Amino acid sequence: MYHSPVTNALWEARSKIFERLLDPPKDAPPQSELLTKTPSQSQTTIFYNFSSDYILREQYRDPWNEVRMGMLLEDLDALAGTISVKHCSDDDSTTRPLLLVTAAVDKIVLKKPISVDIDLKIVGSVIWVGRSSIEIQLDVIQSLKEESDVSHSVALTANFIFVARDSKTGKAAAVNRLSPETEREKFLFEEAEARSKLRKKKRVDRRKLENGEVNQLEPLLAEGRIFCDMPALADRDSILLRDTRLENALICQPQQRNIHGRIFGGFLMHRAFELAFSTAYVFAGLVPCFLEVDHVDFLRPVDVGDFLRLTSCVLYTKLENPDQPLINVEVVAHVTRPEIRSSEV
């Protein structure tokens, strides 16, 4: 009752698939044999009847008569979770189910504005599987009457990565294999495989900067030092990064939990996105046009009662095209537990 009607419907469907998730037998053994499934077996579609459902339309409307992107992020996360449950189900009520959590969002790209007055649908399926990780691709589709090409109807794409844990031991658990059938499925699988290798390489090389990045940073750092040491001589068209910061704080409530009892990842993305949007809005002095989310990393679970502090700042600006300047905003969430004097990102 506390989430969007779409999220509610998805969680209801998920609990029917995995009713034992809510109360699994304590002595149930883990899944002993991995199955091989196709992407079509996990494919799921949800519909938004915006044109005919006034209440639904008003729940998703933003001040500029477009869809509230933060609410859509909640639904995307809920749909990706439902798809991962479908793929990992072994259809055996005697084994204990896996615990599936959002590990990261690889990328979210908005291809065209999403209207709140036109029906839309989200289609998603598993496109790649590792040993204990799953990548799910979601397409938000909104068709105009004059658009006959389906590819032109895709308004947004998102790639979610889920990881599987043994619900008893908490350790990484193997997931069902994936067998792509069509040429498109094979292409998406190969692309996701390449992204997985790149993510591993980035983890190894995270502290190493490419020469080009170093060359970009040096003049920016030099300009920042002038701001700090000789503010009267600083460039009037520049601003220190710290002066773009915004912050939002809240105590995580029971109404924000998912079916596992922890704070819903979609809710965290919703709040982070709206803070990022506000930061860009205040910085630019104009309503920003959202383009993409580069990545989201879920490093720690968030529990009911945690004190959550979201901090944001403008990280980078670029003005190659004066009509569409690029503004990169970063949001970091700090989870604080005052009783035990603990705080972490």
Side-chain angles (χ1 to χ4, degrees), residues 235-250:
D235 185 348
R236 293 301 97 193
D237 290 330
S238 297
I239 186 173
L240 284 173
L241 186 148
R242 69 188 181 202
D243 293 329
T244 69
R245 285 169 61 95
L246 288 183
E247 185 170 315
N248 195 358
L250 62 138

Side-chain angles (χ1 to χ4, degrees), residues 19 106 147 243 282 338 344:
E19 283 184 352
D106 194 61
E147 290 177 340
D243 293 329
V282 170
E344 56 192 4

Side-chain angles (χ1 to χ4, degrees), residues 254-267:
Q255 293 83 1
Q256 295 146 6
R257 70 191 186 279
N258 60 21
I259 59 175
H260 301 299
R262 285 192 152 137
I263 298 303
F264 175 37
F267 168 79

Side-chain angles (χ1 to χ4, degrees), residues 223-234:
E223 192 175 335
R225 282 192 291 272
I226 294 171
F227 255 97
C228 294
D229 299 337
M230 298 172 283
L233 302 178

Side-chain angles (χ1 to χ4, degrees), residues 82-141:
T82 300
I83 291 167
S84 68
V85 166
K86 277 186 176 183
H87 179 80
C88 293
S89 171
D90 61 357
D91 304 318
D92 184 351
S93 59
T94 64
T95 60
R96 64 174 177 259
L98 296 175
L99 177 64
L100 293 152
V101 295
T102 314
V105 180
D106 194 61
K107 207 171 188 78
I108 300 174
V109 179
L110 184 71
K111 298 187 174 185
K112 63 179 185 178
I114 301 175
S115 170
V116 78
D117 298 313
I118 302 170
D119 292 347
L120 67 79
K121 65 180 178 180
I122 307 178
V123 183
S125 62
V126 176
I127 61 167
W128 176 84
V129 166
R131 184 188 172 277
S132 61
S133 56
I134 305 165
E135 182 165 338
I136 294 144
Q137 182 163 304
L138 306 166
D139 291 328
V140 178
I141 299 168

Side-chain angles (χ1 to χ4, degrees), residues 6 44-50 56 119-123:
V6 174
T44 308
T45 304
I46 56 174
F47 295 92
Y48 297 74
N49 299 316
F50 286 144
L56 180 70
D119 292 347
L120 67 79
K121 65 180 178 180
I122 307 178
V123 183

Side-chain angles (χ1 to χ4, degrees), residues 8-58:
N8 281 343
L10 286 165
W11 286 0
E12 189 178 337
R14 201 185 311 181
S15 64
K16 284 177 182 174
I17 300 166
F18 258 6
E19 283 184 352
R20 62 191 193 283
L21 259 179
L22 305 175
D23 190 20
K26 291 181 182 177
D27 56 348
Q31 181 178 346
S32 58
E33 188 177 342
L34 295 178
L35 308 177
T36 299
K37 295 191 174 184
T38 64
S40 61
Q41 286 176 276
S42 66
Q43 184 171 309
T44 308
T45 304
I46 56 174
F47 295 92
Y48 297 74
N49 299 316
F50 286 144
S51 63
S52 57
D53 190 334
Y54 173 80
I55 294 173
L56 180 70
R57 186 165 67 242
E58 290 307 302

Side-chain angles (χ1 to χ4, degrees), residues 274-287:
E274 293 197 344
L275 182 60
F277 186 93
S278 300
T279 304
Y281 194 4
V282 170
F283 177 82
L286 294 168
V287 178

